[in-house]
Each structure stands twice: as C-alpha cells, then as structure tokens.
C-alpha cells in the first residue's frame, strides 16, 4: 500500500516499506490491526487477519475456509444456506432435517421458495392450484370439497346450486321446494311476496302461498262459520252438494250434535240429525 501515513497509529513503528491497514483514517501495521480489530472466527475461534476474507452473517464472522455447512461440511461460500439454532446448513441438509413436505406432491419445500399454508398443511406455490382449472390459488378465496381445493368460480360451476327463482348461486343455506333449490330470501308467497322460510305455506299450481293469501284467493268457505277451509295440518272437512264445512262445524243446526260420520238430513240450507229432522 502507498499512503502519506508514515507511522503505525498504535505502536508508532514506521510503516515505510511495510503493509498496513486503515481504520477510521488511521493507519496500523498488520500486527497491531489484527490484535486490535480482527474478528474471531465462529468456527475455529482464531482471529480473521486483515489479509483474509471476513465473511459475516447476523453479527457473526468466519474465515472463508471455515464458512461451511455444520452437517456435511461443504463450503457455503457464494451458495444459498439456511440457519437453524445458530447453525448454518446448506439447503440440502436443511431440507432433509427441517423443511416441510408439500401436501400435493410430497416433495420437500426448499428454503427460500414460497410456501403456501392451508388448514395445517403446506404446498409449493405451483402445487396449490384449483382442482378444476389448475390455476394457482395463492391468497384468493377458495372452497374445499372432498379434500380438494377449488377457486370460487369453478366450485360454483361444478357444485353450487342455483336458485330456481333468481338463477344465482346459493352460497349458504337455502330452501328446497318441489325438488328445486331456492334462496331463503327468494322463497316468497306468490301473492304478497312475504318470505316463507320457516313459515307455514300452501302449494297451489306449483307456487307457494302464505296461509292468508291462499285463504283469500282459493280456500272454500265453511257453510256454517263462513271462514276459509284451508285443511292445514290435515284438518278434516266435509263436502256435500258443493258445500263444505269444517269438521268441527258440521253439526245439527237444531241440537248442535256433531254429524261427522253420522247420518243426516237436509232442509233447504240446513243440516239436521236424524232425530231433529224426523220431528
């Protein structure tokens, strides 16, 4: 080295014709520099002299010859490596000991490569794809069916039900009516459009109706009480000569005895038991 420095900053010996090193603009003879500033090697514990290459990683230092895999002893100089519990390992040794296996291909996910994790398992990024279209899922929304992952559009095409009313996909819940799927919010009374999910309803011409609408539109009126006969829940009703009665309303007009299952007589619009009709 050539410089205007003439003496070692520490021992004050002349540097003329000798090698020296600079630190913070001060010149030191090689011996003083190594004694004062050389980093100890993590492997051999000897100082890394100023004429040796000092390889550093996270505040630790190695001779070039000492920078090697802690397991197989192969040099790590200018090669990819990984650290585990303060030990440096080549990628092969690290993979053998610690790397995850891809859930799809069962091959090692090498250090430094992108790893996708889902439901406790790991995938290569290139293996974490939609089962149907084979496009990478990355961090996109996905749906799992029978241990296979699908992007949302493919799942909807392959498996999702479409509402009989609006034709859109039913993503959760839903109602089945006449073997057809419906959104809960689409399953409404054909008359007043009130939602029928969880409610009593009556079917007419393949359309559902709430009880009130069906009664207003279609139910026969009881000849006795004049209220609609809906037959909900299997309620009994009696029909005679185009007239209908609730079961509980089909009584003798005079003595009020029930005529259900009994003989009866008619007088104009009235029904009578045999005794009252014969009197």
């Amino acid at each position: 080295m050539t410089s205007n420095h003439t003496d070692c900053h520490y021992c004050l010996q002349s540097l003329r014709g000798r090698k020296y090193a600079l630190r913070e603009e001060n010149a030191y003879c090689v011996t003083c520099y190594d004694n004062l500033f050389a980093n100890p090697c993590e492997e051999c514990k000897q100082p890394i002299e100023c004429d040796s290459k000092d390889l550093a990683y996270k505040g630790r230092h190695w001779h070039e010859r000492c920078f090697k895999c802690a397991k197989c002893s192969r040099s790590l100089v200018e090669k990819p490596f990984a650290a585990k519990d303060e030990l440096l390992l080549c990628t092969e040794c690290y993979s053998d000991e610690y790397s995850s296996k891809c859930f799809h291909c069962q091959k090692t996910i090498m250090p430094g490569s992108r790893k996708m994790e889902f439901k406790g398992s790991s995938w290569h990024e290139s293996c974490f794809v939609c089962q149907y279209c084979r496009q990478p899922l990355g961090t996109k929304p996905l749906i799992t069916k029978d241990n296979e992952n699908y992007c949302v559009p493919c799942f909807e095409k392959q498996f999702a039900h479409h509402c009989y009313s609006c034709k859109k996909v039913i993503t959760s819940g839903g109602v089945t009516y006449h073997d057809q799927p419906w959104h809960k919010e689409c399953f409404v009374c054909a008359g007043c459009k009130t939602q029928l999910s969880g409610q009593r309803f009556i079917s007419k011409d393949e359309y559902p109706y709430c009880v009130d609408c069906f009664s207003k539109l279609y139910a026969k009126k009881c000849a006795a009480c004049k209220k609609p006969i809906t037959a909900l829940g299997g309620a009994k009703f009696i029909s005679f000569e185009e007239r209908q009665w609730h079961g509980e309303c089909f009584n003798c007009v005079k003595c009020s005895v029930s005529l259900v299952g009994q003989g009866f007589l008619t007088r104009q619009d009235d029904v009578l038991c045999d005794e009252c009709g014969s009197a």
Side-chain angles (χ1 to χ4, degrees), residues 4-64:
N4 293 327
H5 297 90
T6 57
D7 299 324
C8 172
H9 184 72
Y10 186 74
C11 70
L12 304 181
Q13 296 294 315
S14 174
L15 296 177
R16 295 183 183 278
R18 301 170 61 190
K19 288 183 178 180
Y20 64 91
L22 291 174
R23 184 180 178 89
E24 297 178 356
E25 298 185 358
N26 295 317
Y28 297 85
C29 65
V30 172
T31 301
C32 288
Y33 184 89
D34 289 342
N35 289 335
L36 293 171
F37 307 115
N39 295 306
C41 175
E42 287 287 327
E43 177 66 20
C44 69
K45 310 305 180 185
Q46 297 299 312
I48 303 173
E49 301 87 349
C50 64
D51 57 353
S52 298
K53 183 178 287 188
D54 185 333
L55 300 181
Y57 175 72
K58 289 189 175 180
R60 296 186 294 159
H61 302 264
W62 288 263
H63 290 105
E64 186 174 16

Side-chain angles (χ1 to χ4, degrees), residues 161 170-176 181-184:
H161 295 296
I170 300 173
T171 57
S172 63
V175 175
T176 299
W182 302 61
H183 289 114
K184 288 183 179 180

Side-chain angles (χ1 to χ4, degrees), residues 155-178:
F155 181 86
E156 291 179 350
K157 289 177 184 177
Q158 296 299 305
F159 304 110
H161 295 296
H162 290 75
C163 177
Y164 182 78
S165 176
C166 70
K167 311 306 179 186
K168 295 181 180 179
V169 170
I170 300 173
T171 57
S172 63
V175 175
T176 299
Y177 172 68
H178 282 182

Side-chain angles (χ1 to χ4, degrees), residues 41-269:
C41 175
E42 287 287 327
E43 177 66 20
C44 69
K45 310 305 180 185
Q46 297 299 312
I48 303 173
E49 301 87 349
C50 64
D51 57 353
S52 298
K53 183 178 287 188
D54 185 333
L55 300 181
Y57 175 72
K58 289 189 175 180
R60 296 186 294 159
H61 302 264
W62 288 263
H63 290 105
E64 186 174 16
R65 65 180 180 276
C66 296
F67 194 62
K68 55 191 178 181
C69 174
K71 185 174 181 183
C72 70
S73 298
R74 284 183 291 185
S75 174
L76 298 177
V77 176
E78 296 183 359
K79 293 180 180 178
F81 64 90
K84 180 69 176 178
D85 299 330
E86 296 190 355
L87 297 177
L88 302 185
L89 300 166
C90 64
T91 53
E92 291 82 358
C93 289
Y94 183 89
S95 298
D96 290 342
E97 291 290 329
Y98 305 109
S99 288
S100 304
K101 296 292 190 296
C102 176
F103 183 83
H104 177 72
C105 69
Q106 296 302 308
K107 294 181 180 179
T108 297
I109 301 175
M110 299 297 287
S113 61
R114 191 173 183 188
K115 178 174 69 173
M116 309 304 297
E117 294 185 347
F118 180 65
K119 290 188 175 180
S121 298
S122 302
W123 279 263
H124 291 109
E125 185 177 22
S126 58
C127 292
F128 193 57
V129 299
C130 170
Q131 179 67 18
Y132 184 74
C133 69
R134 310 309 299 177
Q135 293 300 307
L137 290 170
T139 56
K140 298 176 184 176
L142 62 91
I143 302 174
T144 300
K145 179 178 174 62
D146 299 330
N147 291 324
E148 300 289 356
N149 300 319
Y150 298 85
C151 64
V152 173
C154 286
F155 181 86
E156 291 179 350
K157 289 177 184 177
Q158 296 299 305
F159 304 110
H161 295 296
H162 290 75
C163 177
Y164 182 78
S165 176
C166 70
K167 311 306 179 186
K168 295 181 180 179
V169 170
I170 300 173
T171 57
S172 63
V175 175
T176 299
Y177 172 68
H178 282 182
D179 295 325
Q180 297 292 346
W182 302 61
H183 289 114
K184 288 183 179 180
E185 58 270 23
C186 292
F187 188 60
V188 298
C189 172
C192 66
K193 306 305 179 184
T194 300
Q195 288 191 23
L196 296 176
S197 178
Q199 306 297 320
R200 294 195 302 173
F201 64 90
I202 302 171
S203 179
K204 173 69 174 176
D205 299 330
E206 297 188 356
Y207 291 99
Y209 291 84
C210 67
V211 175
D212 288 342
C213 285
F214 183 85
S215 298
K216 293 174 182 177
L217 295 172
Y218 301 108
K220 301 291 185 179
K221 298 296 190 296
C222 175
C225 70
K226 309 305 179 184
K227 294 180 180 179
I229 300 173
T230 62
L232 279 177
K236 293 181 180 180
F237 71 97
I238 290 83
S239 179
F240 177 72
E241 293 183 352
E242 297 184 359
R243 290 187 294 166
Q244 289 81 29
W245 291 261
H246 292 109
E248 63 272 20
C249 294
F250 192 55
N251 303 322
C252 175
V253 72
K254 291 187 69 175
C255 69
S256 299
V257 68
S258 175
L259 299 178
V260 177
Q262 307 297 321
F264 63 91
L265 300 172
T266 61
R267 183 178 297 161
Q268 295 181 352
D269 291 336

